[in-house]
Amino acid sequence: MTQLVGRTAELGRLEALLAELGRPEAPAVVDISGEPGIGKSRLLGEVCARARRAGFTVLRGRATEYERHVPFQVFTDAFADADPGASAVEPALTEAGSVLHGVRHAPGGVARFELQRAIAGFLAHLGERGLVLALDDLHWADPASRELVDHLVRHPVRGRVLLVVARRSRQTPTSLTAALTRGADMGAVLHLDLEPLPEQESIRALAADLPEDEARRLYAASEGNPLYLLSLVHAYRDGAPLRDCTVHAGATWSVGVPAGLAALLLDELTTLTGPQRRVVEAVAALGDHATTAMLSTATGQPVQDVADRTGAMVARDVLRSRPGGRWMLRHPLLRALVYENTAPERRAEVHRRAARELARGGAPATERAHHVERSLTGWDPEAAAVLSEAAAQFAQTAPATAAHLLDVVLTHMPDTPREVRRRGELVLARARALGVSGNLRESRDLLHTLIEVSGKDHPELRTEAVAQCAVMERHLGHSPEAAALLRRELSRVPGPSPAQAVSLRLALGMSALLTASYPEVRDQVAEAVAVARCDGDAASEAAALALAALGEAYEGETDAAARFADAACSLTDALTDPDLAQVCESLVWLAWAEALLERYGDAERHITRGLGIARRTGRLHVLPHLLTSRAFIHVGTCRLPSALEAAEEAESIARAAGSSDLLAFALAIKTLVLLLIRPLGDGSALATGEEAVAAAGGSKGWWAALAWCMLGHATFVSGDPHGAQEAILTAGGGPGLPLLQPSIRPGQLDTLAAAALSAGDVAQAGRWAAQAAREAVRIGLGGQQAAALRAEATLAEHRGDTVEAVRLLDVAAREYARCGQTLWEAYSLLRAAPLAQRAGQGARAAAMWHRAHRTAVGGGARLLVDLAELIRPQVMAQTPEPAAELAELTARELEVAGLVAEGMSNQDIAARLHLSRRTVETHLSSIYRKTSVPSRSALAGLVTRLGLGAGSRNT
């Protein structure tokens, strides 16, 4: 290993980071970047050595230039080369290696995003002892590895785990650079950009024995690059004239290094014999498969001769050994130079022999694909079959690799009439893989070409391409274009088959939902229901009914939505998972419809089923929609940690998909979760809301509107009522929110009313509160009616009518409790508690506070917990905390208990509180259960004893 020169400052920062690893504020990722040969790998090695001495487990992997389409190559390299050193970490290492090996070499493998979470889990387990995961040459990493790094940057592994990556700045893919930059902005990534080394330090370390003027000339020629300087010094010591060492072409060679450095590195190979050169070339080509046995096969030399030659080249430091009996070139640059300088025919033959040997050994297509691809020089049906099989197996776990392999096949496939159908099928498969891997525009363009090429000769192929193209257009934010494409296909003569027509109409309905134009396609969705029912296609009928339910729920047509949801639920629950696999989107539509209808139990059941089917069958495009629905429900039902987990997984998938609109949607939901789960004053929700709006860009669809709404809520909580109004009005298209779906208007109008009052515009607040009431009555859903009541309560409080404000908030809380939205129930109670205290209802205020505080703490709603602590002095100023016996009672239950203590009958209580007698009896049953009292008289005695009975209740 070469000597580490300089880098004292960088090492100091890294040692300090190792010392504080695991602290919440410490970066979990180090990003080392710089030019080739600048010392990235050497610094990485020094960090690993120091971490080992400090007792850390160290895993080190290197991405390689010629395996850039081998999924998870750099991570597999890290786990394969690991030396566990202790039985405590060996199981996790073994399991992680097995998972990655299964992805690369076994049919099916592990689902793409589940694998990311699984690897993070293994790293967290290893991090219990302290772990450094070092990934070198990350600029060459395959797309699946880059996605996994992105995941680890956005979701740092808990515990004492440090991810250190090294990369060339100019050759790093944009997506990886963006991920690391975003992490640096958030404080999760420490960025170290290595500059050229100082002259005196370099000369002292690498050229101390040379005359000073000659050393300085060599340093000047190296431009401060230690690898280049070391190569120049070696050449000079070996007798090269100083003039030849210091005058070199300034051009950059094809592998990204100066031509002079390339010449120096290759020059040391000129003394190799022919057979030795063949072995070195084979090592460069074979990569991970460069064992002695495979080198013998690839070069045609006897095993013993290969062993002798590798030994000789180890002595000259041309080759180095790796675990598992593998060989590698001394430096990645040397490998690249050797590979590029090997005759193409000889290179292809090495790969061809390796592929045959792997096939003889029973290796799967996924393991052989790399060598098969590199050996292709023309059309080969057998090779194409291997690559197609590998692509199908990689489609779920590494779609970018699948798209690449299919492109290789299509490039070599003859463009003849005989191959048209097969070519079309491969294009469809490649377009799907491109879409899933985030290359939406390339996928869309490919499908447009296929649509035109298919024409009338292959209508089924064309229709399938149209349906797939519409999905790509939607994800690109082009829902109107998607709708036009679908309408044109539906109007063709002869038209698509009934089954395909149903599929196209469902796609048309989804496009209309995203552009808030569902009424325009009601007839098309109804036709889809009728055709599917006539054909006896229960799965498609269920899907059409679910879409109709969601469309009507969006529009606030609650009765119609409920009827469609009932029918869809009945059909869906009777279908098997294989039946639903082809129409997996139906579970998305049904779950969201049920969530909007406040049927949370049914929605969760269908979400769970949909997630299972989607993950088993590789329909990853539906996962973000199911996960955002789960997050939305878990917010309302006050389960914030699981809501955040679902929102972040949806965000990960949306980022990987490359859809700005889908990302805006996922980030909008995440904004709401962060607003509630983070403490008062935390800026993460506002930052996420701003990113959601930025992702939406100029889009005017449903997802963009939701992003603006969530930004409005975060802005209001941050103390900017004017900004909040502006954001929500942008979402809705003006004061009446005409562009906003009716199903969520009351909730947005509640925030607008509160913001207007905060800004001093009482008249506008009154108008918005009145509109919220009208909209809520029309919709007829408890949660939206409760939001309208909150708006009215805000106005009542402003007028000084405290008693009325308390009444309205109490009714809102009970409405939220009835429909299962416990988080908003708690919020309403916290709003009411200080007002109740001010109105002289001390016991009631305390009970409200305690119930809300308990709900917020149990559900992880840190914002509400902080709010509760802020108002505690106001609520508890005159009233002691209620006894434990009554701590579980709601505000309404406390009222009922107090009236029981006054001797009132159930009928009298019902009349006093404007309730039905049955509701009073329900409250009493709950009170008996919570207080563990056996009878009415025992309850009256308990309430009187605690001072909340007749004569002491402040009502």
Side-chain angles (χ1 to χ4, degrees), residues 171 351 363 400 637 751 800:
Q171 292 177 257
H351 285 296
T637 53
T751 300

Side-chain angles (χ1 to χ4, degrees), residues 112-366:
R112 183 176 170 196
F113 300 102
E114 287 182 41
L115 181 139
Q116 294 176 1
R117 294 193 300 276
I119 294 301
F122 296 136
L123 296 177
H125 177 67
L126 294 169
E128 293 174 4
R129 297 183 38 169
L131 170 70
V132 171
L133 174 61
L135 305 179
D136 204 355
D137 287 332
L138 200 63
H139 52 279
W140 283 328
D142 60 276
S145 292
R146 298 200 303 266
E147 269 190 14
L148 182 47
V149 169
D150 183 16
H151 177 85
L152 296 174
V153 169
R154 285 185 292 104
H155 306 287
V157 179
R158 292 188 181 93
R160 299 175 65 228
V161 177
L162 183 65
L163 171 63
V164 188
V165 303
R167 62 188 178 91
R168 297 183 191 173
S169 310
R170 297 179 186 177
Q171 292 177 257
T172 303
T174 303
S175 60
L176 180 57
T177 300
L180 291 166
T181 302
R182 188 166 54 242
D185 292 342
M186 295 170 58
V189 175
L190 170 63
H191 179 64
L192 299 177
D193 188 14
L194 301 190
E195 300 291 338
L197 291 172
E199 180 182 73
Q200 289 303 316
E201 204 168 1
S202 299
I203 292 174
R204 188 165 52 249
L206 302 177
D209 59 322
L210 301 183
E212 183 176 353
D213 61 332
E214 296 175 0
R216 292 181 67 177
R217 289 175 64 183
L218 291 172
Y219 171 83
S222 75
E223 298 178 342
N225 186 304
L227 178 63
Y228 199 177
L229 176 58
L230 188 63
S231 300
L232 290 169
V233 170
H234 279 322
Y236 181 69
R237 285 173 179 157
D238 287 343
L242 185 63
R243 183 186 66 258
D244 293 348
C245 292
T246 56
V247 179
H248 58 276
T252 298
W253 215 68
S254 60
V255 298
V257 297
L261 177 57
L264 287 169
L265 291 172
L266 285 171
D267 187 60
E268 66 180 298
L269 304 182
T270 57
T271 59
L272 297 181
T273 66
Q276 286 177 332
R277 179 76 185 218
R278 300 291 180 272
V279 170
V280 170
E281 290 172 345
V283 170
L286 293 173
D288 282 349
H289 289 123
T291 62
T292 299
M294 186 64 85
L295 288 170
S296 173
T297 299
T299 62
Q301 301 177 26
V303 170
Q304 186 56 54
D305 289 352
V306 169
D308 293 341
R309 284 159 190 154
T310 53
M313 285 180 285
V314 167
R316 298 177 59 173
D317 198 25
V318 174
L319 294 184
R320 291 179 181 174
S321 63
R322 298 187 61 190
R326 294 174 294 161
W327 299 100
M328 62 181 287
L329 273 297
R330 180 183 70 241
H331 194 282
L333 292 177
L334 186 58
R335 181 195 179 190
L337 291 167
V338 169
Y339 191 88
E340 296 298 329
N341 276 273
T342 302
E345 300 81 6
R346 190 181 304 144
R347 211 164 48 204
E349 182 61 24
V350 168
H351 285 296
R352 189 174 297 111
R353 291 186 178 192
R356 288 172 182 166
E357 183 64 20
L358 289 170
R360 276 195 293 271
T366 49

Side-chain angles (χ1 to χ4, degrees), residues 930-948:
K930 290 179 180 179
T931 59
S932 300
V933 297
S935 65
R936 190 183 192 90
S937 59
L939 175 62
L942 173 65
V943 172
T944 302
R945 175 169 57 83
L946 296 175
L948 298 178

Side-chain angles (χ1 to χ4, degrees), residues 701-767:
W702 159 244
W703 290 344
L706 189 65
W708 278 104
C709 286
M710 294 303 104
L711 176 61
H713 296 313
T715 302
F716 181 55
V717 172
S718 72
D720 180 5
H722 296 285
Q725 292 177 83
E726 182 182 353
I728 297 176
L729 290 176
T730 298
L737 308 184
L739 301 182
L740 207 58
Q741 295 295 340
S743 58
I744 66 166
R745 278 185 199 153
Q748 310 312 310
L749 289 162
D750 171 34
T751 300
L752 281 174
L757 278 178
S758 296
D761 192 344
V762 179
Q764 184 60 65
R767 288 191 288 272

Side-chain angles (χ1 to χ4, degrees), residues 17-28 56 127 157-162:
L17 187 54
L18 286 173
E20 63 181 13
L21 200 57
R23 295 179 183 175
E25 68 278 4
F56 284 79
V157 179
R158 292 188 181 93
R160 299 175 65 228
V161 177
L162 183 65

Side-chain angles (χ1 to χ4, degrees), residues 820-896:
Q821 296 185 35
T822 53
L823 181 132
W824 303 117
E825 175 198 5
Y827 174 62
S828 300
L829 291 173
L830 287 176
R831 287 270 309 275
L835 299 177
Q837 178 66 261
R838 199 183 310 162
Q841 304 172 19
R844 185 180 185 190
M848 288 176 165
W849 187 93
H850 280 287
R851 177 169 177 78
H853 184 263
R854 186 170 56 250
T855 299
V857 170
R862 178 64 187 277
L863 179 75
L864 298 192
V865 173
D866 287 356
L867 177 60
E869 293 303 327
L870 277 177
I871 67 172
R872 180 197 283 266
Q874 305 170 43
V875 175
M876 305 303 177
Q878 302 171 14
T879 306
E881 294 187 10
E885 293 94 327
L886 301 180
E888 292 289 328
L889 300 188
T890 66
R892 177 61 85 186
E893 289 167 352
L894 275 172
E895 279 189 295
V896 171

